Amino acid sequence: MSYDIDYLTLLSQQYPTVKTASTEIIRLQSRQKLPKLTEHFMSDIHGEYESFLHILKNASGVIKDKITQIYGRTLSERDRQVLATLIYYPEQKLEYIKDEVDDINDWYKITLYRLIEICRVVASKYTRAKIREFLPEAFGSTIDELIHANTDYGSDKETYYNESISTIVELGQADDFIVEISTLIQTLAIGRLHIIGDIYDRGPGPHIIMDKLMSYHSVDIQWGNHDISWMGAACGNRVLIANVVRMGISYNNFDCLEDGYGINLRPLSDFASEVYRDDLCECFLPKVLDENVYDKVAKSLSAKMHKAMAVIQLKLIGQMVHRHPEYHMEDRNLLEHIDYEKGLYKYNGITCPLTDTNFPTVDPKNPLELTQKEAQLMDVLAASFAHSEALQRHVRFLYSSGSMYLCMNGNLLFHGCIPMNEDGSFERVEVDGEKYAGRALLDRLERAAREAYFLPKDHPDKQKNVDKMWLLWCSAQSPLFGKSRMSAFERYFTKEKALHEEVYNSYYRLSADSHVCEQILNEFGVDPVHGHIINGHVPVRQKDGENPVKADGKLYVIDGGLSKAYQAKTGIAGYTLIFNSHYLALAQHHDYISHPLSKPESDEMPTLQITQKMDKRILVSDTDAGKKLSQRMDELRLLVKAYENGSIVERAIGSYPKTIQSLHMETMEIVR
């Protein structure tokens, strides 16, 4: 490492003496020998907040696995499950247990011992200083002492340990203590949470999921196309505003739109009721996977609102296509390819009848023009999105914690695909007159997405980047989508199967080849021999025998149908992935039970399949974080040398550091 006196002088402000620098080296060197923290991967959550929160609480079976390691020989399966459920839902489970246990004080003491032992095990990968960051304000110091106490028989702290637990029970604090330590166990069980796209759409509670992610201790997000749709709507892209509202209504998500984000749908309701008064809108009846709690809307009205937004979106898409011929998306301009008199769709050699020919707001001579009322409606919706504090807060978090892709600890994470040609080469995609491929394409598109949100409104590049958010949502060349078309509108208005077909980018076929995966890993600077690609986007049909682990273990596709909308296709309730210091393991989830406390003896944990065992236990020193720690230790050793040879002078803490050169200049000033 080069000797940079200016950098070392800056570093000396944080470590002003040989002693402070040496102490930090010792601390970092010790941390390097700890086991790697557990990483938890989830994808395609699609608003299923109940399942999401349940998976977070049980850490995809990690906590149950720890309980089995500790008590597998001393507790029955039922008792281990009861203990696990207590950790996941401490407040609720305590109410059940109090009705079942004869001697509650005795139960409290036994349970506290067990919870402390479990907490001690999950805390073993952390430094004590790091654990203190997670400790609750109430009972924090007590928990700290108990999980680090030597409780061996005859040890000096055995009496202290036992007396602490007895006192907690005697003072009536056992319930609160159990809640706090259970929450801490949940926190420590996972060191890093990775969300590989598609938090939004279909399910009822993406806003609830976002609130949880914002409070999570360590999380990153790789954007999915459904996330980018909401991000684009927050940027002011009117096609995507219409898309978000249309999708929300189509899945009966009024609670999310109106209660969660404060989007004003009353003008849309009034407009749709008037314009489609006599139209049953049968093709637009919502898919009711979950009932609304706060905003119950009749299906007949929902269908009218749904159709109203679909037609408006079609108009706005056509305008976008005309505005950007460089997008090469003329096939999305459906309204200009309709023979309104005959009720036919005609484009690219295909002619077929429409299933719905009632277009009261469409002028056949100028089909893309919004009516005055449609324009006013879009103004109201755009204002709602712009001024939704909750939405803008969540979108800012998506930007601050998210990206198009992430490379971490030998894994490459992205939601959809790396656009490829049939011959296995990276597809070159034009963006603002220049062509990009592979990693450079994702970097360029990420820059556009960030500029869409953060550039000032009057910046000349603002609007073109806002428009690109639609391209990212549904373009064949978008790494977040990667299909020939999004055929939602063809499915609304035609029965022509050829128009419904969505052809996947070559990546989705080629990536089943380990050599192609190695090529992609190499492109992103990840070890092609030991690395993995982890993505989602395409539901894995487990019920048809499809395997989520592909390309000889190089590729993991972990969209297994966490969303209820896909579970009939996949046959399961989703996949998640666990990467700890010993192995990579795929968790296959079963249907989430809304009341998991009702059957304490049942095991609702996922089926865990270890897909790769590590040759040796992975330590912090083997991780990306470990490499950064090694770099910092090298810098600190250079600082120590600079102190020892006098290049930088040690100082009292709080004073400004001085190099020999600066001291010499001060001396010369005094002499003068």
Side-chain angles (χ1 to χ4, degrees):
M1 187 174 178
S2 60
Y3 190 95
D4 187 333
I5 190 67
D6 291 332
Y7 176 76
L8 294 180
T9 301
L10 187 64
L11 189 62
S12 71
Q13 294 182 44
Q14 189 173 358
Y15 306 100
T17 65
V18 169
K19 188 174 183 178
T20 56
S22 299
T23 299
E24 182 66 1
I25 292 171
I26 294 167
R27 187 184 74 83
L28 296 179
Q29 185 64 52
S30 300
R31 185 179 165 193
Q32 290 277 54
K33 300 306 177 184
L34 287 172
K36 168 193 171 298
L37 296 177
T38 298
E39 297 175 70
H40 193 187
F41 302 79
M42 300 178 69
S43 175
D44 296 86
I45 304 163
H46 285 299
E48 299 289 353
Y49 72 96
E50 287 186 322
S51 296
F52 169 76
L53 294 175
H54 183 62
I55 290 171
L56 274 195
K57 288 177 182 296
N58 65 59
S60 285
V62 168
I63 292 174
K64 179 69 181 301
D65 186 54
K66 296 295 183 186
I67 293 172
T68 300
Q69 288 177 22
I70 301 167
Y71 298 114
R73 295 182 178 180
T74 57
L75 291 180
S76 68
E77 173 60 29
R78 183 188 185 281
D79 287 344
R80 297 199 301 272
Q81 180 59 31
V82 169
L83 184 56
T85 308
L86 176 67
I87 293 171
Y88 312 151
Y89 301 96
E91 293 171 305
Q92 300 93 322
K93 188 62 180 174
L94 279 167
E95 296 305 313
Y96 279 84
I97 289 171
K98 288 176 185 178
D99 293 335
E100 298 174 352
V101 175
D102 294 328
D103 187 343
I104 190 64
N105 285 344
D106 188 50
W107 179 88
Y108 276 140
K109 290 178 182 178
I110 293 171
T111 301
L112 289 174
Y113 278 113
R114 289 171 178 168
L115 291 175
I116 291 165
E117 182 60 26
I118 294 166
C119 191
R120 180 181 291 118
V121 171
V122 296
S124 62
K125 292 184 177 182
Y126 296 84
T127 64
R128 191 164 183 176
K130 188 64 179 177
I131 292 169
R132 284 172 177 159
E133 294 179 16
F134 299 133
L135 291 174
E137 185 174 344
F139 306 115
S141 58
T142 303
I143 293 173
D144 186 27
E145 288 288 345
L146 291 175
I147 65 175
H148 291 102
N150 178 4
T151 60
D152 293 341
Y153 179 76
S155 66
D156 293 337
K157 284 220 170 177
E158 183 192 8
T159 302
Y160 165 83
Y161 183 83
N162 295 333
E163 190 63 29
S164 295
I165 290 176
S166 295
T167 305
I168 290 169
V169 175
E170 289 167 9
L171 293 176
Q173 298 299 305
D175 282 11
D176 290 341
F177 189 90
I178 287 171
V179 171
E180 296 291 2
I181 198 167
S182 295
T183 303
L184 181 61
I185 290 168
Q186 292 179 31
T187 300
L188 296 176
I190 298 298
R192 181 81 167 195
L193 176 63
H194 304 286
I195 305 296
I196 309 180
D198 280 1
I199 297 165
Y200 282 89
D201 291 333
R202 296 192 175 91
H207 56 298
I208 299 171
I209 294 168
M210 287 300 301
D211 280 339
K212 181 62 178 179
L213 291 176
M214 289 185 70
S215 66
Y216 203 78
H217 60 279
S218 182
V219 63
D220 55 73
I221 301 165
Q222 292 71 59
W223 303 323
N225 59 314
H226 287 269
D227 306 318
I228 218 77
S229 175
W230 283 75
M231 292 161 69
C235 292
N237 185 307
R238 294 204 172 194
V239 178
L240 295 178
I241 289 172
N243 185 63
V244 162
V245 174
R246 177 187 64 83
M247 285 281 290
I249 294 171
S250 73
Y251 282 93
N252 196 42
N253 291 335
F254 289 95
D255 278 354
C256 171
L257 289 167
E258 296 191 286
D259 184 66
Y261 285 126
I263 304 302
N264 182 9
L265 297 183
R266 181 61 182 270
L268 172 59
S269 172
D270 293 342
F271 171 81
S273 297
E274 176 187 347
V275 173
Y276 298 100
R277 181 186 301 110
D278 300 321
D279 189 340
L280 296 179
C281 302
E282 292 179 333
C283 296
F284 296 89
L285 288 169
K287 304 176 186 70
V288 182
L289 302 176
D290 297 274
E291 295 290 347
N292 291 293
V293 176
Y294 304 104
D295 297 285
K296 297 181 183 295
V297 179
K299 283 187 179 182
S300 57
L301 177 57
S302 295
K304 291 175 171 58
M305 296 169 71
H306 187 184
K307 182 174 180 179
M309 286 314 306
V311 173
I312 290 172
Q313 187 177 353
L314 280 171
K315 291 183 176 184
L316 295 172
I317 287 173
Q319 294 174 20
M320 180 79 78
V321 169
H322 279 298
R323 195 157 64 243
H324 294 286
E326 73 277 12
Y327 289 178
H328 305 293
M329 293 181 69
E330 177 58 30
D331 67 324
R332 298 299 83 215
N333 184 11
L334 276 72
L335 290 180
E336 288 193 328
H337 299 298
I338 290 176
D339 183 330
Y340 292 92
E341 185 176 341
K342 296 180 180 178
L344 298 174
Y345 173 79
K346 298 180 179 180
Y347 182 71
N348 202 24
I350 294 177
T351 299
C352 63
L354 298 175
T355 55
D356 186 336
T357 58
N358 184 32
F359 296 101
T361 66
V362 176
D363 178 0
K365 296 179 181 178
N366 190 5
L368 304 184
E369 183 180 19
L370 295 177
T371 66
Q372 182 180 3
K373 288 186 177 180
E374 286 175 326
Q376 290 172 345
L377 173 59
M378 285 308 302
D379 287 342
V380 171
L381 289 173
S384 280
F385 276 80
H387 296 113
S388 170
E389 192 278 332
L391 176 61
Q392 296 296 333
R393 182 177 71 251
H394 289 168
V395 167
R396 285 193 297 273
F397 181 75
L398 284 170
Y399 275 107
S400 64
S401 298
S403 57
M404 290 287 288
Y405 67 92
L406 177 69
C407 302
M408 178 176 282
N409 296 333
N411 295 315
L412 170 61
L413 285 56
F414 56 85
H415 176 70
C417 70
I418 308 301
M420 302 186 81
N421 299 308
E422 280 293 323
D423 63 1
S425 60
F426 294 120
E427 184 177 358
R428 292 174 59 77
V429 177
E430 184 174 323
V431 183
D432 293 338
E434 294 187 34
K435 290 193 173 182
Y436 302 84
R439 183 175 188 170
L441 173 63
L442 272 69
D443 288 337
R444 180 64 186 86
L445 291 174
E446 179 171 331
R447 194 182 97 196
R450 294 189 182 282
E451 289 179 348
Y453 192 76
F454 291 107
L455 283 179
K457 290 183 179 180
D458 58 352
H459 193 283
D461 292 336
K462 176 75 170 183
Q463 189 57 49
K464 72 176 183 180
N465 286 305
V466 171
D467 285 355
K468 283 192 190 76
M469 299 296 275
W470 176 69
L471 197 70
L472 281 167
W473 155 246
C474 63
S475 168
Q477 296 179 317
S478 168
L480 304 182
F481 184 61
K483 291 189 279 189
S484 58
R485 63 159 67 92
M486 186 172 287
S487 62
F489 296 102
E490 287 89 337
R491 293 173 188 272
Y492 285 141
F493 295 107
T494 78
K495 292 183 179 180
E496 179 60 51
K497 295 297 184 183
L499 293 174
H500 296 182
E501 186 179 7
E502 298 175 345
V503 180
Y504 285 91
N505 182 272
S506 298
Y507 164 86
Y508 296 101
R509 177 180 58 83
L510 296 171
S511 58
D513 185 324
S514 61
H515 298 296
V516 172
C517 289
E518 289 171 0
Q519 172 192 345
I520 295 170
L521 290 166
N522 191 61
E523 167 74 5
F524 284 81
V526 178
D527 181 358
V529 177
H530 300 101
H532 309 88
I533 296 171
I534 304 172
N535 59 209
H537 188 51
V538 181
V540 176
R541 297 173 183 259
Q542 191 269 351
K543 71 181 182 67
D544 297 332
E546 187 178 356
N547 193 337
V549 184
K550 306 175 186 294
D552 299 325
K554 291 289 181 186
L555 172 64
Y556 287 78
V557 182
I558 60 170
D559 180 4
L562 188 60
S563 168
K564 295 187 189 79
Y566 290 119
Q567 288 173 14
K569 296 179 181 179
T570 64
I572 58 171
Y575 290 112
T576 53
L577 190 67
I578 294 295
F579 181 24
N580 62 24
S581 59
H582 292 291
Y583 55 72
L584 266 169
L586 193 70
Q588 177 182 306
H589 295 269
H590 313 292
D591 288 342
Y592 169 70
I593 296 177
S594 297
H595 304 287
L597 305 178
S598 60
K599 293 184 178 180
E601 72 281 0
S602 66
D603 189 350
E604 299 303 329
M605 290 301 95
T607 302
L608 207 64
Q609 173 195 357
I610 296 176
T611 56
Q612 181 181 342
K613 288 187 176 181
M614 302 300 122
D615 295 333
K616 63 180 183 65
R617 192 174 196 188
I618 304 175
L619 304 180
V620 171
S621 58
D622 302 313
T623 66
D624 293 346
K627 293 172 186 175
K628 292 179 181 178
L629 294 180
S630 294
Q631 181 180 345
R632 174 48 64 101
M633 285 189 289
D634 289 342
E635 294 167 352
L636 289 168
R637 289 187 178 98
L638 288 175
L639 178 61
V640 169
K641 287 183 180 179
Y643 282 138
E644 291 174 346
N645 64 29
S647 300
I648 297 176
V649 177
E650 291 185 89
R651 61 188 174 87
I653 294 175
S655 62
Y656 189 80
K658 296 178 180 179
T659 63
I660 293 297
Q661 291 92 332
S662 62
L663 287 170
H664 176 71
M665 293 297 293
E666 289 182 9
T667 303
M668 293 302 294
E669 285 295 323
I670 293 171
V671 170
R672 291 194 188 100

